[in-house]
Amino acid sequence: MVIEKDIQTGHQEATEPLPYLGRSVRIVGDWRSVDATQTPHEKNKRGELGKPLHNWYFNRTSPDPLGRIATASTSADRRNAFETVLARAPRGAVNPERAPAPDPAVLTAHIKRVAKYLGASDVGIMRVQPQFLYSGGRYPDDGTAAGPSAPPATAESTAKRYPYAIALIYAWDYDMGRAHRHRIGDVAYHFGAEHLRTTYANLASYIREMGYSTAARVATSMPVALAAGLGEIGRHGMLITEHFGARVHLGDPILTDMPLLPDRPIDIGVTDFCQVCKKCANTCPTNSITTGGKQVVNGVEKFKINWETCYRLRPHVMDYWDICLTCVTVCPYTKPDVWWRTVAVKAIKWTPIPLRGLVTRPLKWIDDVFWGKLGRKRVRFMSYDSGRLKLPDGTELSSEDQGHYYPLKENSRRFDILKTKLKAKG
Ligand code: SF4
Ligand code: SF4
């Protein structure tokens, strides 16, 4: 707690210190809660992003049965998508006989063990401050403010009532994810999200059965994940984790009044690597990722991606695939969780910050040589083959090069860079 004093009136007020979110983002100004009604999907649902995107959101159906059960938004009948069933399930009551609370450290270790048993790839805990919660009337999601006499909950009152947030991640399949811009990558992505939703629901039920309250759909997942030490934010605007890189879902953190021990943000050298790498920016098909420096947005200094150009791609490609994920796939941190990857990440992590350039450049070079600048990889999964392109009319093209990136080729920035280099050579 920090005591601030107004030098003119002498009035003193206790305020929370600005949260520390690690080196990849810095709170430099007045960081305010995100208005839940102004997020991309919410704007799109209201039709504010135009008809094509609105139709993409509400009226698309996946051409294959696996895609139709993977997520409600691509289903033919929403009840066939498990996420619909889960979202409609009523929440259970809190057990009035609270389990005796041992030391918070013991409770924290226990909850983390349970979360991993239930399927989370990693777990982090942070202490809630109002800026981590949405503004815009989503409070609370537990029915306690219902009724004519109940005062409307605010971010401040919710943060007081639920002082801790538990953030989980789930890593989708590495090999399937390499078939990005393809139905195979879509399946890995969507079923990963479904797995995480189920894990969150089970963990929240477990906490209620232990006699503690939970709230959901109120916290912004990225800052919570950073504060909870699950990773750092990359140039591509995604969370980069130590073991799985950027191929992770964050989902919706659980808020609780269970007394827990918060984690600390981590440093795995993402900021240092992003300075030299720029692979995501150079391969993004919509040029939505900057090759420049960080900017200040809503009081937070970070790499700013143009979410709107990224989002607007979707209706143009929905006959071929659903989710792009090129930036996630090409990111050098997104590699299988094996020994040589551990060595590479530890090498950056353990190198003193001023000397990290000496490590990141050779590692980037190794990544380009062994994994390629574009990360093209033919993936086969069940009857799918990312090297074969199936057109919407059913025609199959079997050329080796079709399919991986169809209908988009490398982005225009790569061609511009190439042209500049050729010109410079004369
Ligand atoms: S998902 Fe695709 S279009 Fe969007 S930022 Fe990443 S690479 Fe670019
Ligand atoms: S691809 Fe490179 S620049 Fe982009 S987020 Fe990953 S490490 Fe950073």
Side-chain angles (χ1 to χ4, degrees):
M1 199 69 77
V2 173
I3 307 295
E4 284 185 357
K5 186 175 178 181
D6 188 315
I7 44 173
Q8 282 179 349
T9 62
H11 174 74
Q12 289 189 345
E13 199 174 329
T15 58
E16 292 275 357
L18 285 179
Y20 177 63
L21 301 181
R23 291 181 61 236
S24 59
V25 297
R26 212 156 52 96
I27 315 257
V28 292
D30 188 14
W31 177 40
R32 290 173 185 266
S33 298
V34 173
D35 185 343
T37 62
Q38 296 305 314
T39 53
H41 282 322
E42 296 307 313
K43 282 185 171 182
N44 193 16
K45 282 185 205 167
R46 295 191 298 268
E48 291 169 14
L49 301 179
K51 271 189 189 170
L53 263 179
H54 190 68
N55 273 329
W56 165 83
Y57 193 88
F58 286 107
N59 299 327
R60 77 191 194 279
T61 305
S62 178
D64 65 76
L66 206 50
R68 290 199 292 277
I69 65 162
T71 174
S73 53
T74 54
S75 62
D77 180 338
R78 295 179 84 85
R79 292 165 302 178
N80 280 335
F82 181 64
E83 71 170 301
T84 310
V85 181
L86 195 60
R88 288 179 186 167
R91 176 170 311 156
V94 176
N95 184 350
E97 288 177 33
R98 183 172 278 191
D103 179 343
V106 176
L107 206 47
T108 302
H110 175 72
I111 280 299
K112 287 187 173 181
R113 208 161 52 234
V114 172
K116 286 192 177 170
Y117 172 72
L118 292 173
S121 305
D122 203 359
V123 194
I125 289 161
M126 53 83 67
R127 190 160 173 99
V128 177
Q129 290 186 26
Q131 302 98 310
F132 288 83
L133 308 181
Y134 283 114
S135 68
R138 292 182 86 180
Y139 302 96
D141 189 39
D142 61 356
T144 51
S149 59
T154 61
E156 285 73 20
S157 63
T158 304
K160 267 193 193 139
R161 176 157 182 204
Y162 304 99
Y164 299 98
I166 304 173
L168 311 180
I169 53 167
Y170 181 78
W172 63 80
D173 185 88
Y174 171 74
D175 285 320
M176 286 173 70
R178 293 180 85 185
H180 59 118
R181 295 200 219 158
H182 192 275
R183 297 286 176 215
I184 300 175
D186 293 346
V187 163
Y189 177 87
H190 288 311
F191 279 105
E194 184 172 297
H195 191 102
L196 184 62
R197 265 184 227 112
T198 315
T199 306
Y200 264 121
N202 276 330
L203 187 66
S205 299
Y206 184 81
I207 292 170
R208 290 195 295 274
E209 280 300 334
M210 286 184 77
Y212 296 92
S213 301
T214 62
R217 299 181 59 235
V218 289
T220 44
S221 53
M222 181 59 84
V224 169
L226 295 172
L230 289 174
E232 296 186 272
I233 192 168
R235 183 179 285 279
H236 47 33
M238 308 286 187
L239 187 78
I240 297 183
T241 62
E242 180 158 0
H243 297 289
F244 313 104
R247 62 180 170 101
V248 291
H249 284 288
L250 300 184
D252 177 33
I254 299 171
L255 265 54
T256 181
D257 55 1
M258 177 181 268
L260 297 168
L261 278 190
D263 291 294
R264 295 275 307 150
I266 58 168
D267 175 10
I268 50 170
V270 167
T271 289
D272 312 287
F273 207 93
C274 289
Q275 294 294 350
V276 297
C277 171
K278 302 181 184 176
K279 253 176 132 158
C280 52
N282 290 334
T283 51
C284 168
T286 58
N287 290 337
S288 301
I289 303 172
T290 178
T291 50
K294 293 181 181 178
Q295 294 174 35
V296 177
V297 185
N298 185 25
V300 182
E301 187 189 74
K302 60 178 183 177
F303 288 116
K304 180 174 176 354
I305 83 148
N306 187 339
W307 67 263
E308 198 164 335
T309 47
C310 167
Y311 201 55
R312 284 195 183 283
L313 172 69
R314 299 180 186 197
H316 297 286
V317 296
M318 67 182 185
D319 286 341
Y320 306 93
W321 39 267
D322 209 32
I323 301 289
C324 171
L325 296 179
T326 297
C327 49
V328 167
T329 312
V330 299
C331 182
Y333 280 90
T334 306
K335 294 289 175 295
D337 192 20
V338 292
W339 69 266
W340 46 263
R341 184 188 181 285
T342 308
V343 170
V345 177
K346 295 253 187 272
I348 308 173
K349 204 172 144 177
W350 290 339
T351 303
I353 293 168
L355 301 178
R356 283 187 180 168
L358 301 174
V359 181
T360 50
R361 283 172 205 284
L363 285 176
K364 161 74 168 45
W365 180 81
I366 291 170
D367 193 84
D368 284 348
V369 170
F370 285 95
W371 300 89
K373 291 192 175 180
L374 278 168
R376 284 171 187 272
K377 170 77 183 160
R378 186 169 185 174
V379 180
R380 292 176 179 88
F381 165 72
M382 295 202 207
S383 59
Y384 302 85
D385 181 347
S386 73
R388 298 173 74 88
L389 171 68
K390 202 170 193 179
L391 296 176
D393 67 1
T395 317
E396 274 213 357
L397 304 178
S398 59
S399 150
E400 285 287 305
D401 278 334
Q402 302 271 12
H404 296 294
Y405 276 83
Y406 195 85
L408 302 167
K409 296 291 180 194
E410 297 88 350
N411 75 13
S412 53
R413 188 182 289 125
R414 280 183 65 79
F415 294 126
D416 289 343
I417 294 167
L418 200 65
K419 271 186 217 156
T420 319
K421 278 186 181 166
L422 289 174
K423 257 191 199 161
K425 274 187 182 172

